[in-house]
Amino acid sequence: MKLRFFPYELKLKHVFTVATYSRTTTPDVQVEIEYDGVIGYGEASMPPYLGQTVDSVMGFLKKVDLEQFDDPFRLEDILAYVDGLTPGDTAAKAAIDIALHDLVGKLLGAPWYRIWGLDKAKAPSTTFTIGIDTPEVVREKTLEVAGQFNILKVKLGRENDKQMIETIRSVSDLPIAVDANQGWTDKKYALDMIQWLKEKGIVMIEQPMPKTRLDDIAWVAQHSPLPVFADESLQRLSDVAGLKGAFTGINIKLMKCTGMREAWKMVTLARALGMKVMVGCMTETSCAVSAAAQFSPAVDFADLDGNLLIANDRFKGMEVVKGKITLNDLPGIGVVKI
């Protein structure tokens, strides 16, 4: 197997603002793994909070020797080797994992949702994210996607939270998922906000408080009228069991958990623990988004709009049709270069 990679900056269509920062681009590294003339595609996307850079990803990928493996179907052995190279570098590991899954799916001639035994018709609607902004811009963004989506996602965690919701509600009555990005620091305030949000048609809350405040989050989740999902509190498979009781569910992101192999194990474990599951993404091309979409028929909520936020996608893959995640029948992760 031959590994190739190169940097590729993702250009956002709009300024993207969450509780702690704003940005107009996202650094990214594109990966290819070739075997017997077949190429699998992957990528590493690195928003600021992930703590990884183009240099760190490229440095990690230079350490990877896939030529020692003569069988790409040895996913467990190959990915265990990759994971063991360093303790972190999850986005770089995810890039290899995605490319390897794409390659193996192509060699099998089947998309991964079928390999996993899933029904693509059960894929949920994806949220569309509205970033923190002025009322005028929020209203404009909401109207811009009217009729295209069935559920919105709103970033909160600043002093204008209620204004954000009221602004959207002035032009839309769609269900809303809320991501506070650890922005609420008092548990009673967080619960009061959640109760107010429920009255405004919000259907779930993501990471209401700082990840270090697990006891407070557990108190909020136990009293919350809405399901509470872990995002920043969750990285990898080993974190899942410890979050039972503190959160209603988990939000799985490939760039944090090292890719599709571990993500599927996280889905299985969360279900065994009686927890809900959400699949999310960073700002990514259709490559990584389509990879995550492969297990979307197994989740309760999906936030897979990262490819729709960028202006320079390299791939065509999973599509959003009338707000719903629509998987194609292409083998692997279901993408073609454009």
Side-chain angles (χ1 to χ4, degrees), residues 72-310:
F73 286 84
R74 290 171 55 195
L75 289 168
E76 288 289 348
D77 290 343
I78 297 168
L79 295 175
Y81 153 71
V82 171
D83 196 17
L85 289 173
T86 63
D89 295 300
T90 57
K93 294 172 182 178
I96 293 174
D97 170 283
I98 293 167
L100 193 58
H101 277 76
D102 192 33
L103 174 63
V104 168
K106 286 173 177 174
L107 293 172
L108 286 171
W112 270 93
Y113 76 81
R114 288 193 64 202
I115 296 170
W116 280 326
L118 301 175
D119 178 2
K120 68 177 182 179
K122 293 183 178 179
S125 293
T126 179
T127 58
F128 182 81
T129 303
I130 306 291
I132 297 170
D133 217 314
T134 64
E136 293 74 25
V137 173
V138 169
R139 195 175 295 113
E140 177 187 342
K141 287 181 180 178
T142 305
L143 289 170
E144 192 177 293
V145 299
Q148 301 176 49
F149 293 89
N150 305 315
I151 179 171
L152 300 175
K153 181 175 180 179
V154 181
K155 298 287 188 178
L156 298 183
R158 290 189 174 181
E159 66 285 344
N160 65 335
D161 286 351
K162 289 188 176 181
Q163 182 187 59
M164 282 283 297
I165 299 299
E166 296 283 15
T167 300
I168 292 168
R169 279 287 170 254
S170 71
V171 292
S172 174
D173 60 359
L174 287 177
I176 297 174
V178 157
D179 185 359
N181 280 120
Q182 310 183 80
W184 301 332
T185 55
D186 179 83
K187 67 180 184 180
K188 292 183 178 178
Y189 173 82
L191 183 60
D192 286 345
M193 276 298 301
I194 291 172
Q195 290 169 336
W196 181 84
L197 289 167
K198 186 177 189 300
E199 296 174 1
K200 297 297 179 179
I202 278 62
V203 295
M204 62 86 75
I205 306 292
E206 197 176 335
Q207 199 68 44
M209 300 186 69
K211 61 183 180 180
T212 54
R213 307 273 293 279
L214 200 59
D215 289 345
D216 286 344
I217 295 170
W219 181 88
V220 171
Q222 288 160 14
H223 292 86
S224 172
L226 298 174
V228 179
F229 283 73
D231 183 4
E232 285 87 352
S233 291
L234 174 74
Q235 299 291 322
R236 302 196 54 179
L237 177 66
S238 58
D239 300 322
V240 176
L243 298 179
K244 179 175 170 56
F247 289 92
T248 317
I250 59 171
N251 183 2
I252 300 170
K253 294 180 178 177
L254 299 187
M255 296 302 135
K256 295 200 300 180
C257 76
T258 73
M260 296 170 68
R261 194 72 170 170
E262 186 150 320
W264 183 241
K265 294 178 180 179
M266 292 169 77
V267 172
T268 304
L269 178 56
R271 291 304 191 197
L273 294 171
M275 300 178 77
K276 291 183 179 293
V277 179
M278 176 180 183
V279 57
C281 64
M282 313 301 185
T283 43
E284 302 162 352
T285 71
S286 289
C287 176
V289 171
S290 295
Q294 294 297 315
F295 64 88
S296 67
V299 308
D300 301 290
F301 291 96
D303 178 29
L304 294 180
D305 65 343
N307 57 328
L308 304 179
L309 304 178
I310 65 171

Side-chain angles (χ1 to χ4, degrees), residues 26-41:
T26 300
D28 188 278
V29 173
Q30 297 283 305
V31 167
E32 298 178 358
I33 298 176
E34 183 172 354
Y35 175 82
D36 200 22
V38 180
I39 298 174
Y41 297 107

